Amino acid sequence: MDNEAVKPATRRGIWGWMLFDWAQQPFHTLIITFVFAPYFAASVAPDAATGQSMWGYATGIGGLAIALSSPVLGAIADATGPRKPWILVFSLIGIVACAMLWYATPGMENLTWMLLVIALAVFGMEFAAVFNNAMMADLVPRSQLGRLSGSAWALGYLGGLVSLVIVLGLFSASPESGKTLLGLTPIFGLDPATHEGDRAAGPYTAVWYALFVIPMFLFTPDVVRRVSQAGAVRQGLSRLGRTLRSLPSERSYFSFLISSMFYRDALNALYAFGGIYAAGVLGWSIIQIGIFGILANITGAIGAWLGGRADQRFGPKAVVATTTTLLAFCCILVISTTKTEVLFVSVAAPGETSNLPDIVFYVAGALIGAAGGSLQAASRTLLIDQVDRDRVTEAFGLYALSGKATTFIGPFSIAIVTAYFASEAFGLTTQDAQRLGVTPVVALFLIGLILLPWVTSRHKEAQAT
């Protein structure tokens, strides 16, 4: 395949595609990590440990649904051509589900339907990203893919930052003070006592996404239709079957899918449970977690932008290896930090407090943001290196499968381990049960690193062209 033969899209088309990351990032920032998830664990669920466990099951179910369907739909999409119709369908699912999060009231008795809504939000939003990612290979030549991916991720982090500042500054308020992060009374008469500001993160995310995804639909070029829908199903399934049969013999492609399956699952779990962990173990408020999120998004934008440049110069594989190592260290730093300990070493006497754990957690968040942005951007480039352009959507479907195959195992393992150590048999505190519950993340990062040496990149080939 000669990716240098790709005719670059117009500047408007490229910006339209990049704005998808800007549109979608608030879902990860506000819902999955820094506002709604900690609120759900601390105020909706019976207690923080149970909330962490229930959140793991809900997001795990959403991930499992993506894992089971994405390769098939990706292969069908490659056979038909256009990706925008698929993005539209899954976007609508995600938008409606996010809007429904408003009804997650404090202490609600029946949580079953709300867990289903959370799973649908994950399913819709992340599935839309599968098809948007597949458009990237048709926008610029291979030599520019790293920079494009990194810039898009950086723009996404900026979108998450702006949305987080708006929610914390205007919507979400402390029930004790009744004031937002900016010291204001919440707008629209949102009631701090019933956490309406935190719940508003759901419909706010839905509106944000619906507004900013429009330029992608209007301006970004799509692949022309290749075959009829009826023929596409048969052709897509046939091609997927051939791919799955030959995949073990494609050492680099197969190794990348397995490696990324583990390190991306670890990263997603770190994002999903970081805010919940801070709320339960460090006793942080939503405002404190929000500040943590603002810092992580600032460093995430910088890290993704710099990572894109490093990708262009050194190749995506080098970026993936470096950032995965850094994230494994950050995970150990997070797990080893409590109100009185840092790296498992006591920093405060019993009954006393120290600011050092909070500072260390902020530093860890900044590093996670920077490394995570670079890792995800470089992974998109490295995946495209593994296949021909007419198989890209199928590849991102398998990429979603490989990620979701452990994305539901990751949250499930955290849920199970947390619940296990929270049982009366161990006599542990809720905080200690949460700490032990997050330990599977470290192992996932290390497994991803072990498998990475078998992956090859087309970086040098593209640079020489």
Side-chain angles (χ1 to χ4, degrees), residues 169-458:
L170 302 178
F171 292 3
S172 182
S174 166
E176 291 76 22
S177 66
K179 300 296 183 181
T180 68
L181 181 63
L182 298 178
L184 304 175
T185 300
I187 62 174
F188 306 129
L190 295 172
D191 183 11
T194 57
H195 294 270
E196 287 186 346
D198 302 328
R199 291 154 52 196
Y204 174 81
T205 297
V207 172
W208 176 287
Y209 179 88
L211 177 64
F212 289 111
V213 79
I214 292 175
M216 185 275 296
F217 284 110
L218 293 180
F219 305 125
T220 303
D222 203 354
V223 178
V224 297
R225 181 167 295 280
R226 296 182 179 128
V227 298
S228 66
Q229 191 69 35
V233 174
R234 183 174 61 256
Q235 182 177 329
L237 292 177
S238 176
R239 174 184 289 187
L240 177 61
R242 292 194 300 270
T243 297
L244 292 176
R245 287 191 297 270
S246 65
L247 191 57
S249 64
E250 299 182 58
R251 189 178 70 170
S252 177
Y253 187 15
F254 186 65
S255 298
F256 172 73
L257 290 176
I258 301 300
S259 173
S260 67
M261 175 173 70
F262 288 105
Y263 71 65
R264 285 186 297 131
D265 185 27
L267 180 60
N268 289 334
L270 203 54
Y271 284 159
F273 292 95
I276 294 174
Y277 184 93
V281 176
L282 298 180
W284 279 12
S285 66
I286 295 295
I287 298 299
Q288 287 176 296
I289 295 171
I291 295 173
F292 176 82
I294 290 172
L295 177 63
N297 274 271
I298 291 174
T299 59
I302 296 172
W305 188 84
L306 291 176
R309 272 63 186 169
D311 182 335
Q312 188 167 353
R313 181 172 181 180
F314 303 108
K317 182 178 175 180
V319 176
V320 169
T322 301
T323 53
T324 302
T325 303
L326 179 58
L327 285 165
F329 167 75
C330 289
C331 188
I332 295 173
L333 190 60
V334 166
I335 293 172
S336 66
T337 301
T338 69
K339 291 181 180 179
T340 59
E341 293 182 352
V342 172
L343 288 175
F344 303 108
V345 177
S346 178
V347 294
E352 297 181 356
T353 59
S354 170
N355 291 328
L356 183 59
D358 293 332
I359 295 172
V360 169
F361 209 80
Y362 279 124
V363 171
L367 291 174
I368 289 170
S374 297
L375 176 62
Q376 293 177 96
S379 294
R380 292 197 294 200
T381 311
L382 192 53
L383 173 63
I384 291 174
D385 277 351
Q386 311 305 313
V387 297
D388 295 330
R389 276 197 297 126
D390 62 354
R391 298 170 58 198
V392 166
T393 315
E394 176 193 273
F396 273 104
L398 289 172
Y399 184 63
L401 168 62
S402 66
K404 299 308 175 186
T406 54
T407 290
F408 73 82
I409 292 174
F412 281 172
S413 64
I414 291 176
I416 292 169
V417 173
T418 302
Y420 178 70
F421 284 108
S423 64
E424 294 181 1
F426 287 91
L428 298 177
T429 64
T430 298
Q431 290 79 9
D432 285 338
Q434 282 191 265
R435 293 176 70 187
L436 292 171
V438 180
T439 53
V441 177
V442 180
L444 293 173
F445 275 128
L446 295 179
I447 294 171
L449 273 173
I450 291 171
L451 295 170
L452 199 58
W454 284 274
V455 181
T456 59
S457 170
R458 295 179 179 174

